Amino acid sequence: MKALNRKLWRDLWRMKGQVFAITLVVVSGVATFIMFISTMDSISLTRNRFYRDYHFADVFVNLKRAPESLKEKIQNVPGVHQVETRVSAYVKLDIKGFPEPVTARIISVPDDGKPLLNRLYIRKGRLADPAKDNEVVINESFAQAHGFDPGDRFAAIIHGKWKELTITGIALSPEFVLIMRPEAMSPDFKHYGILWMGRKALGKSYEMDGAFNDVVLTLYPEANVSDVLAGIDHIVERYGGFGAYARKDQISHRLLNEEFRQLQRSSEIFPTIFICVAAFLLNVVMSRTINTQREQIAALKAFGYTNLDVGIHYAKLVVLIISAGLAGGIAAGVWFGKMLGGIYMEVYRFPHLLYTLHPGVIVAAVLISIVSALVGTLHSLWRAAKQPPAEAMRPEPPAQYRVTLIEKTGIGRWLSQPSRIIARNVERKPVRTFLSIIGIAVACATMISSGFFKDAVAFMVNVQFVRSQKEDMKVAFTEPTSRRALYELKELPGVHHAEIFRTVPARFKFGNRSYKTAINGIEPESRLHLLLDTDLNAISLPSSGIVLNDYLGKFLGVQAGDLLMVEALEGSKPVRQVPVVALVKLYLGVMGYMDVTALNRLMGEGDAISGAYLVTDPLYSGKLYRNFINMPRVSGTVLRRNEIRNFHDVQAKGMLFFTFIATLMACSIAFGVVYNSARIALSERSRELSSLRVLGYTRGEISYILLGELGLITLIAIPLGFLIGYWLCAYIAQALASDLFRVPLVIETKTYALAASVVLASAAVSGLIVRHKLDHLDLVEVLKTRE
Amino acid sequence: MIGKEGEPNNPGEVVFQVRDLTKIYAMGEVEVHALRGVNLELYSGELVVLLGPSGSGKSTLLNILGGLDTATGGDVTYRGKTLTNADERELTEYRRFHVGFVFQFYNLIPSLTARENVAVVTEIAQNPMTPEEALQLVGLTERLDHFPAQLSGGEQQRVAIARAISKNPEVLLCDEPTGALDSKTGIVVLEALDRINRELGTATAIITHNADIAGMADRVIHLSNGRITDIKANAVKKSPGELQW
């Protein structure tokens, strides 16, 4: 077998261009596979370790105020393991040199400095002194956004009192891997932070000595979560409980889970595409190679090599080609995985990324690639092995051609002979032509799917922040307040227009489905907060009944006209049947909307408001911000312009990286497919092309025959790629839809144009390489021998 | 060696003039002297057979005459124009407008029918006949729309001849045109070549290692080891039908 092995290496060397093109595709496929899966495994491992080592709670409860003695009752709920009571509040911050409104959640740390649950990982500095009410630990992303270090100071309005605080440490918590303000659409590290202060000091500030307003707890593994939640709700009800919720509804955890789900989908979609393309390329190259070597195969068999020997010989060739791709793919995948992990770590805060690559993942990558490549080449191998030697040694008869369908339509009359050659070649190998077209189309589709994210985000931002929410800022009050507060706001200098809103946490029930969210009560003729129907036209808010967004409607199975059970989770907690009046489009979040008057009627409250939307004069911004810091009623302010920027920022990095990877891949697929098609066509037809050269055709004219065919295939592939790209995006949009956001299926023309350009450029590069080879055809040599 | 009897009986104009032509191939570290100083004239309207064993240099000579290969030394002029210094573009043009080729293995385009294979040439030539006329000259009017795979070897070669002559070339160069055919079919092909030569007056050079074919030539040129060893004019030309091998 030694001679055969030498032949193997020489064959490989001879096909080096094609081997390189296939390797590129395999590298792309394996690298994406490894990247997505290893990133998912790594973040998952990192998260699980962090949760375990820092005792992340299972259940979270907020309430108004309860005596410490209630803790025992909670502890006694069956299934509850550990209970920790805390004091927690939202505070406004006053940061020197940063006039924009900043809010924070301040949470107590037990006086011994060791929380039982949701422990802190101190990155820098130390915990706050429990006795001192001017020392805090702050979360890392907030510290980084403002360049804070231990020892730095800022002020906070704590229970209405302005207080200067000293940072003693910078920390991470499993409770706040991703930090997002409850009402925000995306994380905002600059305008929202987490502060930790000693329980004694914080309790004193909020008059919570011997009392608490926040509970976290862990459960025994066998505990029934919904029973525990119901039990706790029952206990805390008279203490102003806002409804206990499980870890799966905890915002940081939920966002992480969503991210995992996206990664999971991506790791299913993209590597599959690449493996298929690689298998196809191998199939084409192998069947071609075997065709050119039929005489050699016959000779080998005549010498006594068995079919198995011959089969193994070619299988080795396949495995060798794949191996190079595998090695490169694994290396690139680890590299990309670490890069992607790094990008996640900027948003999701863990102490360290524990990068992990399970051997199983590598084994899977190896098996998937080799098996799919072998399956792809099985047909050619089988053909090679089964041919009787005598038959194989005879030269192949001239290929069979037919007049093409296109010509039969009469168009043929206007075709030159070279154009006819192109048409007949394309029609003669319909399967191969089709697969080449599909391959290039897939490259085009991959590009579209990467551009799609950018388009979708831009569209979401436009709908959410330009067409629907038109306010410059949203001012929230610490608690439901009389409508009179609006006039106070309206009188502030720089406020042009103000509209009230009322937000009530609620649970919706329909049939056996239920969903916990909030009802947003807005003014019926609101200028600042428009509701859009599913065609994105503004609709007016009916004076009674509730409007749900389409996703929630689908989730609950309700339609306009149905009666929805609404259970308010605030105030007197009324439960009412409310008719659903319409479904509206909302890409971010899940909400119910009501006329504010109707909502207050439902709540049995007077004209209470939770805050106001404002249109303001930018010249007065600084002054307004100061006013809000000093108004005890105002709990926080959200600027629309920050929301837009944050939304872009958070998406941008990940998206940029993804676009980069997708572009690399699309190029490698397009190049791989076009180059291989061109190389194969060249070796199959060099004799024919040389004959034409001998007959007096110029290099340009014979290039037209070969490259014209590729051009034709590419041009057919691009519109098909648009179609596949659209389907792929539709699938991705559907797969990624969650209650956090829905991805609109929006693909801009420029995304299509970019995809087409990348494909055309890759095709042009491979065309040029082949053209270079065409220019060096040895006319005499090709004519002498018969293939 | 080249004596008086090497002159053709009724010499026409000189088409090719070959002077001290040499060709050396570098085959790795070995130099192969394919042509070692060839001197020769070819005249319009004559039919010449180049005879010689394989490796004698006859194909190399034909390739250089046809503009497919370049010489190492010496001169080739075609109707007074030097071919030896021509660049790639000039050679392409020369092949396109002046020379017809016929090869041992036909070199037809498998995806084109007989008619279209001829049209491949007529479409780019300056003053061609129609493909149908060319195919009629080789007796293939019945098989115009057949693809190469549907034609016998002899028919394929006749399509190749039709293709070569369809541009009304000044010279027709044939490299072993019957090499891949049995004798009966070979004779049909030779008859086609003979007819073209007689009716169109195309200067024709046929390479063969089959000495029997020499009977149909005006002159027979023997090559051996890169040199012309003998040129003989046939006093009486046989018709291809009289040949036997």
Side-chain angles (χ1 to χ4, degrees):
Chain A
M1 291 296 261
K2 269 193 184 149
L4 264 193
N5 286 337
R6 254 203 301 281
K7 167 178 173 327
L8 201 65
W9 289 112
R10 286 183 193 153
D11 284 348
L12 268 179
W13 180 245
R14 201 169 41 77
M15 301 192 295
K16 54 189 178 298
Q18 282 155 281
V19 170
F20 174 72
I22 295 172
T23 302
L24 219 56
V25 176
V26 177
V27 166
S28 304
V30 173
T32 10
F33 183 78
I34 301 263
M35 175 184 82
F36 281 123
I37 295 191
S38 72
T39 305
M40 199 168 64
D41 288 348
S42 304
I43 297 186
S44 182
L45 175 78
T46 306
R47 181 188 70 169
N48 293 346
R49 282 281 169 80
F50 193 35
Y51 280 4
R52 190 194 68 195
D53 296 350
Y54 289 81
H55 298 258
F56 185 40
D58 291 320
V59 171
F60 303 78
V61 192
N62 304 110
L63 44 95
K64 281 218 145 134
R65 186 177 196 278
E68 193 62 32
S69 56
L70 198 69
K71 179 180 173 183
E72 213 180 301
K73 273 193 174 169
I74 296 173
Q75 180 75 70
N76 288 337
V77 171
V80 171
H81 179 213
Q82 291 168 300
V83 180
E84 184 155 64
T85 64
R86 309 189 296 190
V87 175
S88 142
Y90 287 94
V91 296
K92 286 180 282 182
L93 304 188
D94 185 0
I95 298 169
K96 228 180 195 165
F98 190 78
E100 292 179 19
V102 180
T103 48
R105 183 169 171 202
I106 188 161
I107 297 173
S108 69
V109 178
D111 291 340
D112 61 1
K114 288 183 192 126
L116 203 56
L117 304 176
N118 302 338
R119 294 181 184 173
L120 299 183
Y121 171 87
I122 301 289
R123 179 83 84 194
K124 269 186 193 171
R126 59 168 175 85
L127 277 171
D129 184 331
K132 289 191 180 160
D133 64 356
N134 63 350
E135 284 192 2
V136 284
V137 169
I138 65 173
N139 72 291
E140 187 185 49
S141 47
F142 182 63
Q144 281 173 355
H146 286 280
F148 283 143
D149 263 318
D152 289 346
R153 284 150 202 250
F154 60 86
I157 317 297
I158 295 179
H159 206 51
K161 285 188 196 119
W162 191 92
K163 183 162 226 101
E164 180 151 76
L165 301 173
T166 305
I167 301 164
T168 61
I170 290 164
L172 305 172
S173 157
E175 194 179 355
F176 300 105
V177 171
L178 179 76
I179 298 175
M180 210 158 115
R181 190 188 341 219
E183 69 273 24
M185 300 297 178
S186 58
D188 184 340
F189 300 146
K190 231 177 169 135
H191 298 86
Y192 184 67
I194 307 293
L195 316 178
W196 288 275
M197 191 187 259
R199 168 81 183 260
K200 198 181 279 169
L202 189 61
K204 216 174 247 166
S205 304
Y206 280 92
E207 290 152 19
M208 292 258 181
D209 277 337
F212 63 89
N213 66 356
D214 186 288
V215 189
V216 287
L217 44 104
T218 51
L219 304 178
Y220 285 110
E222 68 278 5
N224 180 323
V225 179
S226 52
D227 287 353
V228 173
L229 294 183
I232 291 172
D233 276 345
H234 183 69
I235 292 172
V236 301
E237 194 170 1
R238 41 185 292 245
Y239 299 95
F242 292 107
Y245 55 93
R247 191 190 269 191
K248 73 173 174 47
D249 289 322
Q250 202 261 349
I251 185 84
S252 162
H253 180 78
R254 222 178 71 186
L255 290 170
L256 257 179
N257 269 357
E258 279 308 314
E259 200 63 57
F260 284 166
R261 210 162 60 91
Q262 292 186 21
L263 268 175
Q264 174 90 46
R265 288 294 156 96
S266 305
S267 64
E268 284 163 8
I269 299 172
F270 293 101
T272 311
I273 293 177
F274 289 101
I275 297 293
C276 290
V277 173
F280 153 65
L281 286 180
L282 270 173
N283 181 312
V284 170
V285 172
M286 285 313 293
S287 61
R288 165 66 200 153
T289 308
I290 288 162
N291 254 355
T292 56
Q293 299 196 350
R294 31 186 278 149
E295 289 164 48
Q296 295 179 35
I297 293 167
L300 286 176
K301 285 175 71 179
F303 298 150
Y305 283 95
T306 64
N307 281 344
L308 189 65
D309 296 334
V310 174
I312 287 174
H313 172 67
Y314 287 97
K316 274 190 199 163
L317 191 67
V318 174
V319 171
L320 273 176
I321 294 174
I322 283 285
S323 303
L326 269 173
I330 291 169
V334 170
W335 189 45
F336 288 159
K338 285 187 174 164
M339 252 154 76
L340 188 59
I343 288 171
Y344 278 113
M345 290 290 282
E346 286 185 26
V347 178
Y348 299 95
R349 296 300 176 129
F350 297 105
H352 308 283
L353 177 67
L354 303 170
Y355 187 80
T356 166
L357 178 58
H358 292 304
V361 178
I362 297 183
V363 171
V366 169
L367 280 182
I368 293 172
S369 330
I370 290 187
V371 168
S372 59
L374 280 181
V375 167
T377 47
L378 206 63
H379 177 68
S380 329
L381 286 178
W382 180 70
R383 263 179 26 151
K386 75 159 189 179
Q387 266 182 341
E391 189 183 305
M393 273 200 269
R394 278 197 291 273
E396 257 196 305
Q400 301 277 345
Y401 281 90
R402 279 178 298 116
V403 174
T404 59
L405 287 174
I406 285 196
E407 291 171 273
K408 284 180 185 156
T409 62
I411 298 171
R413 252 175 294 156
W414 292 287
L415 290 181
S416 69
Q417 301 312 324
S419 301
R420 238 168 251 210
I421 296 177
I422 292 177
R424 289 182 192 166
N425 265 306
V426 167
E427 258 199 42
R428 182 170 163 267
K429 294 258 167 100
V431 175
R432 182 190 291 178
T433 304
F434 176 72
L435 288 176
S436 300
I437 290 173
I438 290 285
I440 299 169
V442 162
C444 186
T446 311
M447 269 312 287
I448 290 173
S449 73
S450 83
F452 159 63
F453 284 102
K454 219 180 276 177
D455 296 344
V457 166
F459 187 80
M460 280 158 94
V461 166
N462 181 45
V463 169
Q464 192 83 26
F465 298 113
V466 178
R467 293 165 77 168
S468 177
Q469 302 178 10
K470 294 169 182 286
E471 76 276 4
D472 292 325
M473 45 182 105
K474 175 181 168 187
V475 176
F477 296 147
T478 46
E479 54 188 0
T481 308
S482 151
R483 199 183 184 110
R484 277 195 303 275
L486 180 69
Y487 305 115
E488 209 179 313
L489 291 178
K490 272 186 170 168
E491 273 160 25
L492 292 173
V495 174
H496 287 328
H497 179 73
E499 287 179 6
I500 57 160
F501 68 85
R502 171 81 172 98
T503 307
V504 175
R507 186 175 281 126
F508 300 139
K509 281 186 184 157
F510 187 78
N512 50 9
R513 299 205 140 191
S514 85
Y515 192 87
K516 181 175 168 268
T517 171
I519 306 172
N520 199 10
I522 54 180
E523 292 191 20
E525 295 300 324
S526 175
R527 270 166 51 195
L528 301 183
H529 225 78
L530 303 184
L531 296 182
L532 306 174
D533 67 14
T534 37
D535 296 324
L536 301 180
N537 298 312
I539 58 165
S540 59
L541 186 62
S543 58
S544 65
I546 190 166
V547 170
L548 302 181
N549 70 300
D550 52 347
Y551 183 83
L552 183 55
K554 206 182 270 175
F555 178 81
L556 293 170
V558 290
Q559 284 172 336
D562 288 339
L563 273 182
L564 183 70
M565 176 78 82
V566 175
E567 185 186 336
L569 299 173
E570 204 183 83
S572 59
K573 300 190 179 165
V575 181
R576 299 268 187 287
Q577 297 265 23
V578 181
V580 175
V581 201
L583 296 181
V584 294
K585 194 85 209 170
L586 194 65
Y587 292 117
L588 300 169
V590 164
M591 274 266 177
Y593 290 94
M594 286 179 81
D595 181 327
V596 64
T597 318
L599 179 59
N600 278 330
R601 209 162 45 228
L602 182 141
M603 292 299 292
E605 294 168 350
D607 49 359
I609 64 173
S610 308
Y613 302 123
L614 305 182
V615 177
T616 59
D617 186 336
L619 286 176
Y620 288 86
S621 295
K623 220 168 185 174
L624 276 174
Y625 301 153
R626 282 243 64 85
N627 273 318
F628 295 143
I629 288 176
N630 294 326
M631 287 167 82
R633 214 198 293 284
V634 172
S635 70
T637 311
V638 179
L639 306 184
R640 184 178 64 141
R641 126 178 96 78
N642 286 340
E643 290 255 80
I644 298 177
R645 203 187 42 217
N646 290 326
F647 199 76
H648 277 298
D649 277 359
V650 170
Q651 307 292 335
K653 261 201 182 129
M655 225 149 45
L656 217 62
F657 181 73
F658 184 73
T659 308
F660 166 72
I661 297 277
T663 309
L664 270 187
M665 294 175 176
C667 290
S668 71
I669 296 185
F671 176 78
V673 173
V674 177
Y675 180 74
N676 265 297
S677 307
R679 274 302 278 124
I680 289 161
L682 177 65
S683 49
E684 276 173 354
R685 298 181 27 214
S686 57
R687 196 175 133 82
E688 182 177 323
L689 297 172
S690 302
S691 303
L692 287 170
R693 288 278 287 128
V694 168
L695 296 175
Y697 276 71
T698 61
R699 288 170 178 168
E701 284 163 337
I702 60 160
S703 299
Y704 165 71
I705 296 179
L706 193 65
L707 302 180
E709 184 178 328
L710 290 169
L712 182 69
I713 287 177
T714 308
L715 289 181
I716 296 173
I718 286 173
L720 185 66
F722 288 171
L723 208 63
I724 297 177
Y726 186 83
W727 289 335
L728 189 62
C729 293
Y731 175 75
I732 293 172
Q734 190 235 327
L736 297 187
S738 71
D739 45 3
L740 289 173
F741 61 86
R742 273 75 55 194
V743 185
L745 184 52
V746 177
I747 307 169
E748 297 289 337
T749 316
K750 64 175 196 291
T751 300
Y752 285 117
L754 181 69
S757 314
V758 165
V759 169
L760 283 175
S762 314
V765 168
S766 36
L768 282 176
I769 298 176
V770 172
R771 167 75 204 249
H772 180 76
K773 287 191 187 289
L774 267 182
D775 286 348
H776 294 87
L777 273 184
D778 186 339
L779 303 188
V780 176
E781 200 54 42
V782 178
L783 292 175
K784 264 193 218 157
T785 51
R786 161 150 219 169
E787 270 183 54
Chain B
M1 289 291 251
I2 303 163
K4 254 297 187 225
E5 73 272 42
E7 294 283 313
N9 297 330
N10 304 303
E13 294 170 52
V14 175
V15 180
F16 284 113
Q17 183 143 42
V18 180
R19 284 283 163 268
D20 303 324
L21 192 66
T22 59
K23 176 71 183 177
I24 302 169
Y25 293 108
M27 301 274 280
E29 289 169 18
V30 188
E31 285 193 339
V32 177
H33 291 257
L35 295 175
R36 303 167 184 263
V38 170
N39 292 289
L40 177 70
E41 272 94 31
L42 285 180
Y43 302 93
S44 64
E46 71 168 338
L47 194 151
V48 174
V49 167
L50 290 153
L51 266 180
S54 66
S56 60
K58 53 191 193 307
S59 286
T60 305
L61 177 59
L62 200 77
N63 288 337
I64 293 173
L65 291 181
L68 289 178
D69 206 348
T70 50
T72 311
D75 276 324
V76 178
T77 57
Y78 166 77
R79 292 209 173 272
K81 273 174 263 164
T82 311
L83 286 184
T84 5
N85 300 325
D87 64 16
E88 164 61 35
R89 198 182 50 79
E90 289 166 325
L91 285 180
T92 300
E93 203 163 282
Y94 166 65
R95 292 198 300 269
R96 189 169 189 144
F97 300 126
H98 304 286
V99 196
F101 281 101
V102 177
F103 298 100
Q104 181 175 6
F105 296 117
Y106 335 130
N107 290 73
L108 296 181
I109 312 295
S111 56
L112 299 179
T113 61
R115 192 206 307 260
E116 291 161 351
N117 260 289
V118 179
V120 158
V121 166
T122 59
E123 280 177 3
I124 60 167
Q126 274 168 334
N127 183 26
M129 53 184 93
T130 65
E132 292 76 12
E133 286 171 329
L135 285 162
Q136 195 200 344
L137 280 173
V138 296
L140 278 177
T141 28
E142 305 295 302
R143 321 214 51 142
L144 291 177
D145 294 317
H146 287 64
F147 283 95
Q150 300 165 316
L151 299 170
S152 71
E155 287 170 331
Q156 288 186 53
Q157 190 60 298
R158 282 188 283 156
V159 174
I161 293 170
R163 181 174 68 180
I165 52 116
S166 62
K167 68 171 90 159
N168 285 312
E170 308 261 1
V171 275
L172 188 57
L173 304 176
C174 314
D175 193 348
E176 300 274 10
T178 59
L181 304 171
D182 61 70
S183 69
K184 206 171 146 201
T185 320
I187 284 165
V188 177
V189 167
L190 291 176
E191 274 171 340
L193 286 175
D194 186 53
R195 180 174 171 199
I196 304 295
N197 176 252
R198 276 186 287 108
E199 292 184 8
L200 304 179
T202 312
T204 306
I206 301 173
I207 283 186
T208 180
H209 57 262
N210 182 346
D212 298 306
I213 293 175
M216 67 183 276
D218 292 307
R219 287 194 297 158
V220 183
I221 301 171
H222 287 264
L223 274 106
S224 172
N225 205 15
R227 290 195 178 86
I228 291 178
T229 51
D230 184 26
I231 299 182
K232 203 187 281 168
N234 281 331
V236 182
K237 269 170 76 174
K238 287 184 184 167
S239 76
E242 298 169 76
L243 300 176
Q244 267 183 342
W245 69 85

